[in-house]
Amino acid sequence: MDYDIAIIGLGPAGATLARLLDSKFNIIALDKKLTCGTDGFNKPCGGLLATDAQRSFIRFNLNLPTDILTNPQIFSVKTYDLQTHLVRNYQRTYINFDRHKFDLWLKSLIPSQVDVRNNTLCKNIERIIDGYQITFEENGQHKVVTAKYVVGADGANSMVRRMRYPNHTLRQYIAIQQWFEEKHPVPFYSCIFDNKSTNCYAWSISKDNHFIFGGAFPKKEANLKFEQLKQKLEQNGFIFGTPVKTEKCPVVYPQRWRDFHVGNERIFLIGEAAGFISASSLEGISYAFDSAEILSNILNRDIKNPNKAYYQRTIKLRLKLLGKIVKAKLITTPILRRLIMKSNISHIANVE
């Protein structure tokens, strides 16, 4: 084998695994993004670090550099139900940050002994004796390497997952996000429910003099539903104007236990590639960290059957995500959401 481990994708899951693996391993890591700047793959993520992800930083003994943080830091989320015209404020302890800079920073923490290949696209993974043959394009050139283990950290549209589980379909939405010049007098976060536009949800965030609006929509009419929802929100005081940029990508939406696939036969799936994302909030960074940490501990200790160990040690993680699926069904069901919001539980009213 050319390498012990091949990591496909260097988002939060893949970059964290590459950083935590022992130096005894010969590792190659393939990533779409470039090494610096704003070029490369930009994911339509709002860029909010949730509490569970913050706990991971405590375990990793890491601190966020200030150039990743963005303004303002807001402590509540304004929740809109367009069916009932209810609006509620709920306290949240998110950290507002630049997602693209965050991903590049996580990559910068990868030890120098890891063979990081940027601007690459994995084309094929084929089983061979004692491992796998990985075919990829790097800067337009066709290349082939071999590795004993393969880790799919390649996100919602994971090629590794599709190769390993060709007959399994995992529900996906299209996440669309647009950036605008901030024109609201008071910056805010929002969570928006409108079952006529999507049975998932939408969001808005104020960030460094920009107003970001995004949402997850059914694939067939994603662009249409996105624009229709913008029109509805303009009637609720949202100010858009001309988009500065638009971002788009698929996002997985787990609905059941068997939507979580962790791999087998020396292939492992971590982060969103494994279906590890909250169905209720689409937050995936904390689960990317958790799954990468679990797998690194298994591989570093040379456990005899690493696939079995990874399956067993992620059961707690999958149970937690199963609870998020139940929560998602509650908050995306109009009558139940209305009851929750009308109860005013945890709502903080603005001072008039």
Side-chain angles (χ1 to χ4, degrees):
M1 297 293 105
D2 297 320
Y3 297 92
D4 298 309
I5 303 168
I7 302 173
I8 314 301
L10 287 177
T16 299
L17 179 65
R19 176 173 56 83
L20 295 178
L21 285 171
D22 198 284
S23 59
K24 65 185 177 183
F25 295 117
N26 189 14
I27 304 166
I28 185 172
L30 309 180
D31 192 42
K32 289 181 180 180
K33 295 184 293 299
L34 302 178
T35 53
C36 60
T38 59
D39 294 330
F41 179 66
N42 285 269
K43 187 173 183 178
C45 166
L48 296 175
L49 199 65
T51 304
D52 286 345
Q54 295 171 36
R55 292 194 187 99
S56 295
F57 277 88
I58 298 172
R59 295 197 306 274
F60 297 154
N61 195 28
L62 287 176
N63 296 307
L64 280 175
T66 55
D67 64 333
I68 291 173
L69 302 181
T70 54
N71 289 316
Q73 298 296 326
I74 304 173
F75 304 108
S76 69
V77 57
K78 186 175 289 188
T79 302
Y80 291 81
D81 185 339
L82 298 191
Q83 265 72 55
T84 61
H85 305 289
L86 291 172
V87 181
R88 297 290 184 266
N89 285 318
Y90 300 106
Q91 182 178 359
R92 292 293 183 269
T93 55
Y94 299 131
I95 294 175
N96 196 2
F97 68 100
D98 185 308
R99 173 60 195 267
H100 189 56
K101 287 183 180 180
F102 178 75
D103 281 3
L104 294 177
W105 172 68
L106 288 176
K107 282 181 63 174
S108 74
L109 302 178
I110 298 173
S112 58
Q113 67 264 21
V114 176
D115 184 4
V116 175
R117 306 290 185 93
N118 299 293
N119 195 26
T120 62
L121 181 63
C122 186
K123 305 292 286 187
N124 186 52
I125 299 174
E126 183 179 350
R127 184 69 186 267
I128 59 175
I129 297 174
D130 295 331
Y132 290 88
Q133 177 177 282
I134 300 105
T135 304
F136 63 97
E137 287 186 4
E138 182 179 19
N139 297 316
Q141 294 185 349
H142 180 87
K143 298 188 177 182
V144 177
V145 297
T146 57
K148 181 179 179 181
Y149 297 118
V150 174
V151 180
D154 46 344
N157 206 28
S158 170
M159 188 274 285
V160 183
R161 185 184 67 231
R162 285 185 278 114
M163 183 273 297
R164 178 50 43 186
Y165 303 100
N167 298 320
H168 177 72
T169 57
L170 181 59
R171 185 174 184 178
Q172 289 188 352
Y173 288 87
I174 297 298
I176 304 175
Q177 183 170 272
Q178 288 185 333
W179 293 58
F180 307 88
E181 290 184 13
E182 176 63 277
K183 297 180 180 179
H184 298 91
V186 179
F188 65 100
Y189 301 156
S190 75
C191 175
I192 303 136
F193 294 99
D194 177 37
N195 287 73
K196 293 182 180 180
S197 301
T198 177
N199 53 359
C200 194
Y201 85 104
W203 60 85
S204 76
I205 301 163
S206 296
K207 191 186 298 285
D208 280 348
N209 298 317
H210 287 91
F211 181 70
I212 304 171
F213 171 68
F217 302 88
K219 283 186 171 182
K220 289 185 178 180
E221 298 182 303
N223 292 324
L224 175 63
K225 295 298 184 181
F226 177 78
E227 293 298 331
Q228 287 177 345
L229 184 55
K230 281 171 59 180
Q231 293 175 10
K232 291 180 182 180
L233 291 172
E234 285 180 327
Q235 299 171 11
N236 286 268
F238 283 60
I239 305 171
F240 295 108
T242 303
V244 176
K245 63 178 177 178
T246 301
E247 301 163 329
K248 185 187 300 186
C249 81
V251 59
V252 298
Y253 189 82
Q255 296 178 284
R256 54 204 169 183
W257 180 263
R258 65 188 183 95
D259 282 344
F260 305 120
H261 282 302
V262 295
N264 53 37
E265 297 182 356
R266 298 183 181 180
I267 283 184
F268 304 89
L269 298 174
I270 60 176
E272 198 174 349
F276 293 160
I277 186 172
S278 169
S280 62
S281 66
L282 301 184
E283 192 277 321
I285 294 176
S286 63
Y287 305 105
F289 288 159
D290 289 345
S291 56
E293 183 180 3
I294 291 168
L295 182 57
S296 68
N297 287 332
I298 291 168
L299 295 177
N300 287 342
R301 295 175 184 177
D302 293 321
I303 291 176
K304 186 176 181 180
N305 190 335
N307 280 110
K308 181 179 180 180
Y310 183 58
Y311 178 86
Q312 292 173 337
R313 296 186 188 185
T314 54
I315 288 176
K316 184 177 179 181
L317 193 62
R318 283 176 279 147
L319 286 171
K320 182 178 179 180
L321 286 164
L322 200 61
K324 300 295 184 181
I325 293 173
V326 174
K327 181 180 178 182
K329 292 184 182 300
L330 290 174
I331 62 177
T332 57
T333 301
I335 188 170
L336 297 177
R337 183 172 65 243
R338 178 175 180 272
L339 290 173
I340 293 169
M341 294 181 70
K342 284 186 71 69
S343 72
N344 284 335
I345 295 174
S346 301
H347 168 59
I348 302 175
N350 293 130
V351 176
E352 296 296 338

